[in-house]
Every structure is written in structure tokens, then in C-alpha cells.
Amino acid sequence: MSLLENKDDIKELVEGLNFKQKVERSLALIKEAYKKHGDSLVVANSLGKDSVCVWDLARKVNPKIRGFIITTRFKPKETVRFMQEEVARYPELKVFKNDEKIPAKLYEFDPDKCCDVLKVLPTRWAIEKMKVECWVTGLRCTEGRTRTEFKEVEERDKGLVKLNPILIWKEREVWEYLALNQVKVNPLYAQGYRSLGCEPCTKITSEGDERAGRWIGTSKCGGECGIHTRPLKININGDGI
Ligand code: SF4
């Protein structure tokens, strides 16, 4: 049976497969999806550890696979520098950014709106401009309270498949892969961050939940920017459908 159509119990796989088996499964998922979608398969790279892991896996399947980075005016300088280095290393990575004017401190009084404008909208542009049929993400089901119900292959937007090839990996296994494969990571991890985002919305914490340092003090705390939950296909009005 096609791995893309598997109905396996995700929670069982998290504990049931060892590191090597997980790497093989992830590579097989990307390989099968690439065979099906060809150059319409594109990797979303947020420059965090999970993204650079998926990017490395995808490049092992085929170094021609393209990717996109969504950046914002609020990214820490370390992330911006790391992004510039990654784009220089991999010209297959395209950067998308929304520079439109927004109210000052929108991230404080309406972080959902801020993420919508600065992250979700440029993700829609990337999907449209790069003619994406299948986008590949670094989402993991053990990462936080909002990430437990995802599947390895999803189609929330009609005509846009989302592949989450490392969904069943644990945080430790991501670091294991990055170390063994000598993948370069964002230097902010060395400062103690576990999950990276925009500067005003990301703090260092030592709580159990990996995403606990995101949007502290808002209703979004430990939550999502919206690219995994909001519609991403653009209709003729330029809106999500
Ligand atoms: S993470 Fe914060 S600053 Fe960045 S887009 Fe979302 S609300 Fe705005």
C-alpha cells in the first residue's frame, strides 16, 4: 500500500519506531510524494530546527527540490543572518515577506491579526507563485498542545496536500538527526530557545511544552501562527478559500 495513504496510529508510531526507522519512513514519504507531485512539491522552511531537518531530508531525496521561507520585519537579527546564509547555500530557497503598514504593537493587542498579515498572507503568496500542489512541513505531534491531531498527509485546502514527514519524531530525535548529519542550525538555540519565532513573541522557557515560550501573555500562548490552521489557497479575490 502507498505510504501516502497509510492509516497508521500516529501515537503508536511515536513510541513504536526507533530513530533509524523514523528517518527511513520520512525519506520514503518525501520520495513517494515527490514522485507523485514532482516540482510542485515544495518545502516550507521556517529556519527552525524541524525545518532544517526536513530540508536536509528533502535534499537527500532530490537536491533540486525547492523551498520557501516566510520572514517578517520582527525576526531576530540572528535568524535574519541565518536566513541569508541558508539562501546563499541553497538558491532553491525563495523568501516571501509582507511589508505592508500595520498598526504599532499589533502583536500585543491582536497577535492573530499580526500573524495573519505577516505570516499567513505571504504563505498564500508562496503557494500561489511557486505553483505548489504539495507543501512539506516540519510539524511534529509531540511539539505542543496544538499539534496533537495532525496527520502525516493532509488536505485541509482542496488541491493542496500537506505532507508532515517528521510528524512522529521527538525533539531529541530531531537533534540526533541534525548532529549526525552535521546540519547547520539557527544560533539562537545556543542561547536556550527551544522554539523560534518573531522577537516580540518568543521567550526562553524551561517548561515541558516545547512551544511554551511562544506568545506568552496572550491567548495564543504556546499556540500557532495560523499557517497550519488557516486556509492557504488563494481564490480570485486574493483571499483564503
Ligand atoms: S509571531 Fe508575533 S510579531 Fe510575528 S507575525 Fe505573529 S504576532 Fe506578529
Side-chain angles (χ1 to χ4, degrees):
M1 192 185 95
S2 155
L3 195 53
L4 295 179
E5 287 161 22
N6 82 80
K7 302 264 183 287
D8 297 337
D9 184 316
I10 291 303
K11 286 182 188 114
E12 275 177 24
L13 291 176
V14 171
E15 299 304 333
L17 297 190
N18 64 35
F19 172 70
K20 181 171 178 283
Q21 291 168 322
K22 288 185 184 182
V23 173
E24 284 167 0
R25 184 181 178 96
S26 303
L27 286 168
L29 278 166
I30 301 171
K31 202 170 187 175
E32 200 179 316
Y34 186 58
K35 199 167 166 202
K36 186 170 176 186
H37 299 284
D39 290 339
S40 305
L41 175 143
V42 175
V43 179
N45 188 337
S46 74
L47 303 166
K49 65 186 187 313
D50 308 304
S51 285
V52 293
C53 174
V54 168
W55 180 242
D56 193 77
L57 287 163
R59 288 184 53 79
K60 283 192 167 60
V61 170
N62 192 319
K64 284 198 210 137
I65 290 179
R66 298 175 302 156
F68 66 81
I69 293 171
I70 307 300
T71 193
T72 78
R73 67 201 76 179
F74 297 119
K75 289 286 178 185
K77 62 180 185 322
E78 291 87 348
T79 300
V80 173
R81 205 172 308 124
F82 182 59
M83 176 180 80
Q84 290 161 346
E85 288 164 9
E86 287 287 277
V87 171
R89 238 187 316 272
Y90 308 115
E92 303 80 20
L93 285 172
K94 304 292 168 218
V95 177
F96 291 83
K97 183 176 180 222
N98 185 0
D99 285 321
E100 80 177 68
K101 207 168 171 339
I102 57 169
K105 303 218 168 171
L106 182 61
Y107 51 79
E108 266 181 25
F109 60 87
D110 195 349
D112 283 326
K113 176 80 183 162
C114 188
C115 278
D116 247 9
V117 175
L118 300 187
K119 289 184 168 179
V120 178
L121 197 57
T123 305
R124 288 184 186 141
W125 296 340
I127 283 167
E128 179 74 5
K129 284 228 167 68
M130 296 179 85
K131 301 191 187 327
V132 181
E133 272 176 26
C134 173
W135 67 304
V136 186
T137 87
L139 199 104
R140 288 184 299 105
C141 65
T142 56
E143 206 180 344
R145 62 174 175 84
T146 52
R147 300 206 159 176
T148 55
E149 300 302 328
F150 288 94
K151 301 193 182 86
E152 284 173 316
V153 186
E154 306 183 323
E155 195 171 338
R156 288 172 184 239
D157 292 276
K158 205 164 162 30
L160 178 66
V161 174
K162 180 159 80 157
L163 184 71
N164 304 314
I166 61 165
L167 187 69
I168 60 173
W169 291 34
K170 295 179 184 172
E171 185 182 21
R172 172 184 59 76
E173 290 162 334
V174 172
W175 285 115
E176 202 170 337
Y177 179 90
L178 298 174
L180 290 170
N181 290 277
Q182 298 178 335
V183 178
K184 290 200 182 341
V185 296
N186 192 317
L188 286 173
Y189 288 113
Q191 294 184 26
Y193 290 93
R194 284 175 75 197
S195 178
L196 306 179
C198 295
E199 194 155 22
C201 306
T202 311
K203 301 277 176 288
I204 295 174
T205 65
S206 49
E207 285 182 44
D209 188 331
E210 224 177 302
R211 292 175 65 82
R214 308 288 293 275
W215 298 286
I216 283 178
T218 76
S219 56
K220 232 169 146 63
C221 186
E224 296 291 331
C225 68
I227 67 164
H228 295 297
T229 50
R230 306 266 292 120
L232 293 175
K233 288 278 273 185
I234 295 177
N235 66 18
I236 49 166
N237 299 317
D239 240 342
I241 50 173

